[in-house]
Amino acid sequence: MTEEPPSPLLIDHARLIGLLGPDAGRFSVDVLAECASTNSFLLERAAAGAPSGSVVVADRQTAGRGSRGRSWLATPDASLTFSVLWHFPGGIERLSGLSLAVGVAVVEALAACGVPDVQLKWPNDILYGDCKLGGILVEVQSDPESAQAVIGIGLNLLDFLVILIETQFLVLDAHFRASGN
């Protein structure tokens, strides 16, 4: 019985680093074909001393977690899942607004990518109308002198793609109506 060769990664590490531009040096990015959970994977690395700015991106996530213990499964053709580790000076009380700040940043990033009217539903859902585009899971560990957060983000790419197509259709439709065609 022959073993099948591993499938190629869908996330191109070199291209991803290039897209980070001048900020690339702040991050150490690992791209995985599969893991149980990007947050769990990065929490284990954090316990072993991983530096701030460690990032894990997975093509497939088999046991991801959402808020309140909900599962978040990810497949390469339908999702983008990644987690970021960041260390903060001071105790956990300094991170009280972190989840909201991450949510606002994700909404702003999606808007910059051409997805209009994206909303943040507290505490961790990214919405477009009634459609859930994604979710955020922030897990924090701390001691009196420092805190570390693993910030997990999952995006439903199929829904995202449908929204982009609809948006472009509406732009074209408005253009043709304005030009009398």
Side-chain angles (χ1 to χ4, degrees):
M1 181 169 167
T2 60
E3 188 173 316
E4 287 188 36
S7 61
L9 293 172
L10 295 178
I11 305 288
D12 183 334
H13 183 268
R15 183 162 188 253
L16 179 59
I17 296 299
L19 290 170
L20 291 172
D23 292 323
R26 297 176 63 193
F27 300 97
S28 171
V29 180
D30 288 309
V31 178
L32 307 176
E34 181 176 305
C35 70
S37 157
T38 57
N39 264 32
S40 295
F41 188 89
L42 206 45
L43 284 167
E44 289 175 16
R45 284 199 169 169
S52 194
S54 296
V55 178
V56 174
V57 183
D59 281 345
R60 179 181 306 277
Q61 184 173 254
T62 59
R65 300 183 317 278
S67 64
R68 294 181 226 123
R70 293 186 178 119
S71 65
W72 183 283
L73 303 180
T75 58
D77 56 344
S79 305
L80 172 63
T81 55
F82 62 97
S83 296
V84 179
L85 169 66
W86 211 260
H87 297 281
F88 298 89
I92 195 169
E93 64 279 351
R94 297 194 64 203
L95 304 182
S96 63
L98 181 61
S99 183
L100 179 59
V102 170
V104 169
V106 170
V107 166
E108 289 177 353
L110 289 171
C113 290
V115 183
D117 305 321
V118 179
Q119 298 176 351
L120 177 63
K121 178 184 169 193
W122 184 256
N124 68 339
D125 290 339
I126 309 299
L127 302 177
Y128 176 79
D130 293 333
C131 181
K132 182 174 178 178
L133 286 181
I136 300 164
L137 178 63
V138 177
E139 297 182 275
V140 178
Q141 299 174 336
S142 73
D143 59 43
E145 288 89 39
S146 66
Q148 64 183 12
V150 171
I151 303 161
I153 299 173
L155 297 174
N156 299 317
L157 296 181
L158 292 179
D159 293 336
F160 181 68
L161 180 60
V162 168
I163 291 165
L164 285 177
I165 291 169
E166 288 175 351
T167 301
Q168 294 305 312
F169 175 77
L170 292 173
V171 168
L172 288 172
D173 184 55
H175 173 72
F176 285 118
R177 287 179 190 266
S179 67
N181 292 331

